[in-house]
Amino acid sequence: MNSTVLTLSERNNIESGSWFSKLSAALRSDILSRALLRRLSDGAMLSCRGEPAEEWVGVAKGAVRVSSVSLSGKQVTLTYVEPGTWFGDISLFDGLPRTHDATAHGDTTLLVVRKPDFKELLSRHTELYEALLRLNCRRLRLMFDAVEDLNTRPLAARLAKQLLLLARSYGVTQGEEIRIGLQLAQEDLAQLLGASRQRVNQELKSFERDGALRVEPTRLVILSKDKLLAIAQR
């Protein structure tokens, strides 16, 4: 891949990713040399549930919405894959179809490694096996944390924790405020937390009254990380 195809900020997102940055220089270079650039507009489909896995993907800008459809036919968001994160390797390992739908959330830039190149990387760099094992162990730990939170913590604490995570990944500091750059409707937040939109709306209004947050028409603005942290630790 020609380094000039990514903008400076997009390349920085990839190279500073917590997982990618720990790989050897040789492996990072080989991955980037094989990666294809793909730019998607908001809502564009990357892959569908049940499709054969053909690509390993790194997010350079924007977000990828991972979702499924409930038995009642409702679209349910499970997570948003943030810049600097690589995903799609599980199905390439086990050979089974994709388990969820993946769509662009906002204008999104991706680096895509095709299945044959992914297999070639594994054969050339045994380091990649261990690195992907660590990555999937981290995913599993996060999944267990999410299940524990869902079953043991009140909605206010889970919502505050989610907002802090979004601020870490998409926060834009403006003075003492942090504007969350990822545009999410209250229904999107509700799906992430396994709650109703009405309950999430009630908690956001409570955060506003406490001076922790300001709800704008298209963005959430954190006014006090300390107050949100206190709520998240309840």
Side-chain angles (χ1 to χ4, degrees), residues 123-157:
S123 68
R124 288 168 56 89
H125 303 272
T126 55
E127 167 197 355
L128 185 56
Y129 279 103
E130 184 177 347
L132 288 171
L133 178 60
R134 290 196 305 270
L135 179 62
N136 282 294
C137 286
R138 181 176 182 274
R139 290 170 178 159
L140 190 59
R141 288 177 183 274
L142 291 173
M143 184 186 71
F144 283 147
D145 285 346
V147 172
E148 181 180 6
D149 286 350
L150 184 62
N151 286 280
T152 63
R153 308 184 76 181
L155 176 59

Side-chain angles (χ1 to χ4, degrees), residues 20 22-34 121 124-125 127:
F20 188 81
K22 293 181 175 64
L23 303 178
S24 67
L27 177 53
R28 294 198 307 270
S29 177
D30 207 359
I31 291 173
L32 293 178
S33 70
R34 297 169 186 270
L121 285 168
R124 288 168 56 89
H125 303 272
E127 167 197 355

Side-chain angles (χ1 to χ4, degrees), residues 2-46:
N2 189 325
S3 62
T4 61
V5 299
L6 289 175
T7 67
L8 183 60
S9 62
E10 289 170 346
R11 188 171 185 88
N12 181 66
N13 285 337
I14 290 292
E15 294 186 341
S16 64
S18 59
W19 177 80
F20 188 81
S21 63
K22 293 181 175 64
L23 303 178
S24 67
L27 177 53
R28 294 198 307 270
S29 177
D30 207 359
I31 291 173
L32 293 178
S33 70
R34 297 169 186 270
L36 305 174
L37 183 71
R38 185 175 299 168
R39 297 190 187 276
L40 300 178
S41 57
D42 182 41
M45 181 69 70
L46 175 61

Side-chain angles (χ1 to χ4, degrees), residues 71-218:
L71 292 176
S72 64
K74 181 181 179 181
Q75 193 84 5
V76 178
T77 300
L78 302 176
T79 190
Y80 291 89
V81 184
E82 64 189 50
T85 303
W86 291 78
F87 70 100
D89 48 281
I90 293 177
S91 292
L92 291 178
F93 274 121
D94 64 20
L96 297 177
R98 294 295 190 195
T99 56
H100 300 92
D101 296 333
T103 56
H105 187 80
D107 292 335
T108 300
T109 302
L110 306 173
L111 292 183
V112 177
V113 177
R114 294 170 298 186
K115 184 176 180 179
D117 287 316
F118 178 76
K119 297 293 186 180
E120 180 69 16
L121 285 168
L122 288 172
S123 68
R124 288 168 56 89
H125 303 272
T126 55
E127 167 197 355
L128 185 56
Y129 279 103
E130 184 177 347
L132 288 171
L133 178 60
R134 290 196 305 270
L135 179 62
N136 282 294
C137 286
R138 181 176 182 274
R139 290 170 178 159
L140 190 59
R141 288 177 183 274
L142 291 173
M143 184 186 71
F144 283 147
D145 285 346
V147 172
E148 181 180 6
D149 286 350
L150 184 62
N151 286 280
T152 63
R153 308 184 76 181
L155 176 59
R158 290 188 282 122
L159 176 56
K161 182 178 179 180
Q162 184 65 62
L163 293 174
L164 289 168
L165 290 173
L166 289 171
R168 185 185 68 184
S169 301
Y170 296 98
V172 179
T173 302
Q174 298 177 332
E176 296 182 355
E177 301 178 351
I178 302 175
R179 182 178 297 272
I180 296 176
L182 186 67
Q183 184 172 343
L184 292 178
Q186 291 185 18
E187 178 64 28
D188 296 326
L189 279 173
Q191 290 180 17
L192 285 174
L193 297 166
S196 69
R197 186 195 63 78
Q198 291 79 7
R199 288 193 62 203
V200 167
N201 179 262
Q202 292 171 0
E203 296 297 347
L204 290 174
K205 288 181 178 178
S206 176
F207 292 178
E208 279 196 293
R209 288 193 297 270
D210 291 342
L213 184 77
R214 183 172 70 249
V215 179
E216 297 184 350
T218 60

Side-chain angles (χ1 to χ4, degrees), residues 213-233:
L213 184 77
R214 183 172 70 249
V215 179
E216 297 184 350
T218 60
R219 291 288 188 272
L220 297 173
V221 181
I222 294 176
L223 304 179
S224 173
K225 286 181 65 176
D226 290 340
K227 289 182 178 180
L228 275 185
L229 185 59
I231 297 171
Q233 293 174 338

